């Protein structure tokens, strides 16, 4: 079905809610040498982050190559993105991480980064699309259907993996003439057939902050998001039939930079970690200052590698995982410090392990992070590796369609886990292509839809980001539509500190106080604010216009702080 506007997504996706009446009963499941207990059913939470990564690198999720292979097709671009939003609404997700800067290039018109090859087909070249601003359009469409837009940046990676005979110089030549790396080739290093910006150069760190703040100040994003690519991961080579692991520390392509910039008595390991910490701290301060001056509530979040360090490596501080397992701390990424220092508003550890992984289990990793965020402002959302049904299809864990559902069940009884996010978007689509593991993945998706993603949920509030007061809406009225639906209308002043509205509905009652505003099942939908209009409207296509309902509407700020709801009874 073709979708022409975000408004059609609201009409096309009929809100549905399922009452889960089962008592919360725990059952044991095996988790590598021990038993852990998960609820047999999930009680829907009113506040729960539910996100998905939308990858643009290599056109993995969006857009398809056909959008630009014969000249850029603006309408196809729009239709593909609206189809993504439609699927996210069907699954009752409430946030997307959209990759706006995949490899030092941009899905937006930038003064410092070239147009992305994954958007236009040729890096640095803007198609003849007139005044169309793809990022502004995508953000507006996302907000219209009540979903947060997190702008996902890859700060240092510049190219895909090159051929076996690639060099730094050959990879630099694949970049556009205006690319930052072409202008500053000495600030780039080569490792494992890729090139990266060098975080040890102070000017590079300043450039990364400039890149992010350009988007933050120009576009109505809800959050800045980094993933786990800081210094590159190790790689394997085969020598005389023996597999050898080559780490970044083994090659140290940044050693000369270390010699130039390190502090006295600072090891190269400490120096590298400090380079990344400096980027995170500086960017955190820049976003906070922007929020204060512009009266915005832009969040800052990161999805690091799922294991900070093992307990054995850190004197009991780390997780109960194997010291033989890769850790972010060993890759110069001190994600725990970012929480301790309150530099980030949320963290999404990439917990891409099963319950039966021999080195690190999903349960052990989750338990550690759940403990680490106690007494912190940082919200914890768990990264869920849905892609493993395809990429690790021979693993017995990923031949179990209930693995992902069990993971979310397990998370539901951890007090400090505020939600989860799926990697990656295309793995949320039921497909009949004969890919490894696809049949089991299809079954897992159905289980998610029927057992987990059953009601809408609000994103957990971030009150420390709130810059003003969110007032209730007014003049709420509900009337029948000519098309056999119900129209909900209300007023909200443009200057109100509001970005979204929560639509509540309770059936078969003439009493205004019957809606349980703490119950996720009461949420009919979440929609965006039309900032150009005093009067807001919502079409309830799932209502029976001949039935009595109680409706209520509340306003939500960009910080997801909810106003008091306003109620009205609809009597046909």
């Amino acid at each position: 079905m073709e979708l022409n506007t975000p408004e059609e997504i609201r009409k096309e996706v009929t809100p549905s809610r399922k009452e889960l009446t089962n008592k919360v009963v725990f059952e044991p499941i095996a988790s590598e040498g021990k038993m852990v207990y998960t609820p047999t059913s999930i009680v829907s939470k009113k506040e729960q982050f539910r996100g998905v990564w939308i990858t643009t690198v290599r056109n993995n999720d969006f857009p398809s190559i056909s959008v630009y292979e014969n000249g850029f097709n603006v309408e196809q671009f729009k239709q593909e993105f609206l189809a993504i939003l439609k699927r996210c609404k069907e699954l009752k997700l409430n946030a997307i991480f959209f990759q706006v800067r995949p490899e030092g290039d941009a899905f937006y018109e930038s003064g410092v980064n070239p147009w992305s090859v994954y958007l236009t087909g040729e890096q640095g070249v803007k198609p003849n699309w007139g005044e169309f601003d793809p990022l502004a359009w995508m953000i507006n469409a996302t907000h219209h259907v009540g979903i947060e837009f997190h702008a996902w940046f890859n700060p240092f990676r510049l190219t895909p993996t090159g051929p076996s005979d690639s060099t730094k110089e050959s990879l630099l030549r694949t970049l556009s003439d205006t690319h930052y790396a072409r202008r500053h080739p000495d600030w780039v290093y080569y490792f494992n057939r890729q090139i990266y910006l060098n975080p040890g150069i102070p000017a590079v760190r300043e450039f990364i902050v400039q890149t992010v703040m350009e988007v933050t100040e120009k576009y109505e994003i809800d959050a800045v998001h980094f993933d786990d690519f800081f210094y590159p991961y190790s790689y394997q080579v085969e020598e005389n039939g023996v597999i050898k692991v080559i780490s970044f520390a083994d090659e140290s392509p940044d050693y000369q930079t270390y010699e130039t910039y390190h502090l006295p008595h600072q090891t190269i390991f400490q120096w590298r970690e400090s380079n990344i910490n400096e980027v995170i701290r500086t960017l955190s301060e820049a976003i906070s200052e922007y929020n204060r001056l512009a009266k915005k509530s832009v969040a800052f979040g990161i999805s690091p590698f799922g294991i900070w360090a093992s307990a054995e490596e850190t004197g009991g501080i780390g997780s109960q995982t194997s010291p033989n397992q890769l850790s972010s701390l060993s890759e110069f990424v001190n994600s725990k410090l970012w929480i301790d220092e309150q530099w980030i508003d949320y963290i999404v550890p990439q917990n891409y392990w099963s319950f039966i992984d021999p080195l690190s289990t999903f349960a052990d990793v989750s338990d550690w992070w759940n403990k680490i965020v106690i007494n912190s402002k940082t919200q914890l959302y768990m990264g869920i590796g849905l892609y493993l049904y395809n990429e690790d299809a021979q693993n017995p864990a990923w031949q179990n369609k209930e693995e992902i559902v069990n993971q979310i069940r397990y998370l539901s009884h951890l007090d400090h886990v505020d939600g989860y996010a799926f990697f990656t978007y295309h793995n949320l689509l039921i497909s009949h292509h004969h890919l490894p593991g696809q049949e089991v993945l299809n079954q897992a998706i159905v289980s998610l839809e029927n057992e987990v993603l059953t009601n809408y949920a609000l994103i957990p509030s971030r009150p420390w980001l709130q810059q003003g007061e969110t007032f209730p809406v007014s003049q709420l009225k509900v009337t029948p539509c000519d098309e056999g639906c119900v129209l909900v209308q209300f007023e909200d002043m443009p200057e109100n500190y509001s970005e979204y509205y929560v639509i509540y509905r309770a059936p078969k009652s003439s009493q205004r106080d019957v809606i349980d505003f703490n119950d996720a099942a009461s949420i009919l939908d979440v929609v965006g604010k039309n900032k150009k209009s005093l009067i807001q409207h919502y079409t309830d296509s799932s209502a029976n216009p001949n039935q009595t309902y109680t409706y209520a509407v509340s306003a939500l700020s960009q910080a997801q702080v909810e106003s008091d709801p306003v109620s009205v009874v609809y009597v046909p």
Side-chain angles (χ1 to χ4, degrees), residues 521-558:
S522 299
I523 300 174
L524 177 65
D525 207 347
V526 179
V527 296
K529 179 178 183 176
N530 180 356
K531 297 182 180 180
K532 298 180 180 179
S533 177
L534 171 68
I535 299 175
Q536 309 288 325
H537 69 273
Y538 173 80
T539 302
D540 182 3
S541 301
S542 66
N544 179 349
N546 298 314
Q547 182 173 326
T548 299
Y549 296 97
T550 300
Y551 284 90
V553 176
S554 63
L556 278 177
S557 69
Q558 187 182 39

Side-chain angles (χ1 to χ4, degrees), residues 343-502:
W343 292 340
I344 56 177
D345 300 297
Y346 69 82
I347 193 162
V348 197
Q350 296 180 21
N351 192 351
Y352 300 160
W353 294 277
S354 70
F355 282 108
I356 59 173
D357 189 275
L359 296 181
S360 48
T361 73
F362 181 87
D364 287 332
V365 174
S366 300
D367 290 347
W368 187 82
W369 285 105
N370 184 63
K371 178 180 65 176
I372 290 303
V373 298
I374 295 175
N375 300 322
S376 167
K377 79 167 188 182
T378 304
Q379 294 178 341
L380 171 61
Y381 319 141
M382 201 61 67
I384 303 289
L386 197 62
Y387 74 100
L388 290 165
Y389 277 107
N390 289 140
E391 294 196 15
D392 199 12
Q394 300 307 311
N395 188 322
W398 302 107
Q399 295 171 12
N400 174 14
K401 71 181 182 67
E402 293 298 311
E403 175 69 26
I404 289 293
V405 171
N406 284 337
Q407 290 186 5
I408 296 176
R409 285 176 180 152
Y410 188 81
L411 296 177
S412 71
H413 84 278
L414 298 180
D415 292 340
H416 305 289
V417 177
D418 292 312
Y420 45 85
F422 299 106
F423 188 84
T424 176
Y425 170 76
H426 73 267
N427 298 113
L428 284 170
L429 302 174
I430 291 178
S431 171
H432 298 292
H433 295 299
H434 297 294
L435 298 173
Q438 188 63 47
E439 184 177 348
V440 180
L441 174 57
N442 289 344
Q443 295 170 1
I445 294 170
V446 172
S447 294
L448 281 172
E449 293 177 320
N450 292 336
E451 301 176 44
V452 178
L453 304 170
T454 55
N455 292 304
Y456 283 109
L458 307 185
I459 290 174
S461 63
R462 309 177 187 115
W464 59 91
L465 294 178
Q466 183 84 343
Q467 302 292 331
E469 187 172 353
T470 304
F471 296 100
V473 303
S474 61
Q475 305 298 317
L476 175 63
K477 63 179 181 178
V478 183
T479 56
C481 306
D482 292 338
E483 298 83 9
C485 54
V486 170
L487 179 66
V488 180
Q489 295 184 89
F490 52 94
E491 294 184 6
D492 188 23
M493 299 300 294
E495 60 269 23
N496 191 13
Y497 199 71
S498 55
E499 294 286 336
Y500 307 96
Y501 304 107
V502 187

Side-chain angles (χ1 to χ4, degrees), residues 328-347:
S328 66
L329 195 59
S330 65
E331 299 292 312
F332 325 111
V333 174
N334 194 344
S335 48
K336 179 180 179 296
L337 178 71
W338 307 338
I339 295 173
D340 295 341
E341 295 293 332
Q342 301 190 69
W343 292 340
I344 56 177
D345 300 297
Y346 69 82
I347 193 162

Side-chain angles (χ1 to χ4, degrees), residues 11-72:
K11 295 177 180 179
E12 179 69 22
V13 181
T14 302
S16 62
R17 297 164 298 161
K18 297 181 181 180
E19 303 285 349
L20 298 181
T21 57
N22 296 342
K23 294 181 179 179
V24 179
V25 177
F26 286 81
E27 65 179 2
I29 62 172
S31 182
E32 189 53 27
K34 63 180 180 181
M35 302 300 291
V36 299
Y37 290 83
T38 67
T40 56
S41 62
I42 298 174
V43 177
S44 296
K45 298 179 180 179
K46 180 184 176 182
E47 290 194 355
Q48 185 178 68
F49 186 93
R50 298 177 188 161
V52 62
W53 281 276
I54 299 174
T55 57
T56 59
V57 66
R58 297 182 297 278
N59 300 104
N60 195 36
D61 287 325
F62 171 82
S64 69
I65 295 174
S66 62
V67 164
Y68 56 75
E69 62 184 352
N70 294 310
F72 194 89

Side-chain angles (χ1 to χ4, degrees), residues 168-460:
K168 173 182 171 179
E169 290 70 26
S170 68
L171 293 178
L172 280 171
R173 288 194 294 270
T174 66
L175 305 178
S176 71
D177 292 341
T178 60
H179 198 290
Y180 186 77
R182 288 288 293 272
R183 290 182 281 124
H184 303 285
D186 292 340
W187 296 353
V188 172
Y189 63 75
Y190 174 91
F191 181 76
N192 190 22
R193 294 154 50 194
Q194 289 182 283
I195 55 175
Y196 301 80
L197 290 176
N198 188 342
I201 306 290
V204 166
R205 298 196 296 269
E206 293 171 6
F207 171 70
I208 295 304
V209 174
Q210 178 189 11
T211 288
V212 172
M213 294 312 298
E214 178 188 43
V215 174
T216 304
E217 294 168 4
K218 182 178 178 181
Y219 293 97
E220 296 292 321
I221 63 173
D222 297 297
V224 169
H225 182 79
F226 281 2
D227 63 15
D228 60 319
F229 282 100
F230 295 101
Y231 284 97
Y233 289 111
S234 304
Y235 66 98
Q236 294 182 343
V237 297
E238 184 177 336
E239 295 183 356
N240 300 321
V242 178
I243 298 296
K244 183 180 180 181
V245 177
I246 307 295
S247 71
F248 186 79
D250 291 330
E251 294 190 0
S252 291
D254 60 344
Y255 188 78
Q256 284 303 119
T257 313
Y258 164 72
E259 287 286 282
T260 302
Y261 291 106
H262 79 275
L263 299 176
H265 310 297
Q266 191 178 39
T267 68
I268 194 168
F269 188 105
Q270 293 169 332
W271 172 77
R272 286 173 181 148
E273 182 184 312
S274 71
N275 294 333
I276 303 304
N277 289 339
E278 182 68 12
V279 170
I280 304 307
R281 181 190 63 80
T282 305
L283 184 54
S284 176
E285 292 174 353
I287 295 171
S288 295
E289 180 68 2
Y290 168 75
N291 282 339
R292 185 182 67 82
L293 295 176
K295 301 299 180 185
K296 296 290 186 178
S297 301
V298 177
F300 181 27
I302 301 179
S303 56
F305 186 76
I307 295 172
W308 175 73
S310 73
E312 185 174 330
E313 294 173 294
T314 54
I317 299 174
S319 53
Q320 296 300 318
T321 50
S322 171
N324 297 319
Q325 169 68 64
L326 178 74
S327 68
S328 66
L329 195 59
S330 65
E331 299 292 312
F332 325 111
V333 174
N334 194 344
S335 48
K336 179 180 179 296
L337 178 71
W338 307 338
I339 295 173
D340 295 341
E341 295 293 332
Q342 301 190 69
W343 292 340
I344 56 177
D345 300 297
Y346 69 82
I347 193 162
V348 197
Q350 296 180 21
N351 192 351
Y352 300 160
W353 294 277
S354 70
F355 282 108
I356 59 173
D357 189 275
L359 296 181
S360 48
T361 73
F362 181 87
D364 287 332
V365 174
S366 300
D367 290 347
W368 187 82
W369 285 105
N370 184 63
K371 178 180 65 176
I372 290 303
V373 298
I374 295 175
N375 300 322
S376 167
K377 79 167 188 182
T378 304
Q379 294 178 341
L380 171 61
Y381 319 141
M382 201 61 67
I384 303 289
L386 197 62
Y387 74 100
L388 290 165
Y389 277 107
N390 289 140
E391 294 196 15
D392 199 12
Q394 300 307 311
N395 188 322
W398 302 107
Q399 295 171 12
N400 174 14
K401 71 181 182 67
E402 293 298 311
E403 175 69 26
I404 289 293
V405 171
N406 284 337
Q407 290 186 5
I408 296 176
R409 285 176 180 152
Y410 188 81
L411 296 177
S412 71
H413 84 278
L414 298 180
D415 292 340
H416 305 289
V417 177
D418 292 312
Y420 45 85
F422 299 106
F423 188 84
T424 176
Y425 170 76
H426 73 267
N427 298 113
L428 284 170
L429 302 174
I430 291 178
S431 171
H432 298 292
H433 295 299
H434 297 294
L435 298 173
Q438 188 63 47
E439 184 177 348
V440 180
L441 174 57
N442 289 344
Q443 295 170 1
I445 294 170
V446 172
S447 294
L448 281 172
E449 293 177 320
N450 292 336
E451 301 176 44
V452 178
L453 304 170
T454 55
N455 292 304
Y456 283 109
L458 307 185
I459 290 174

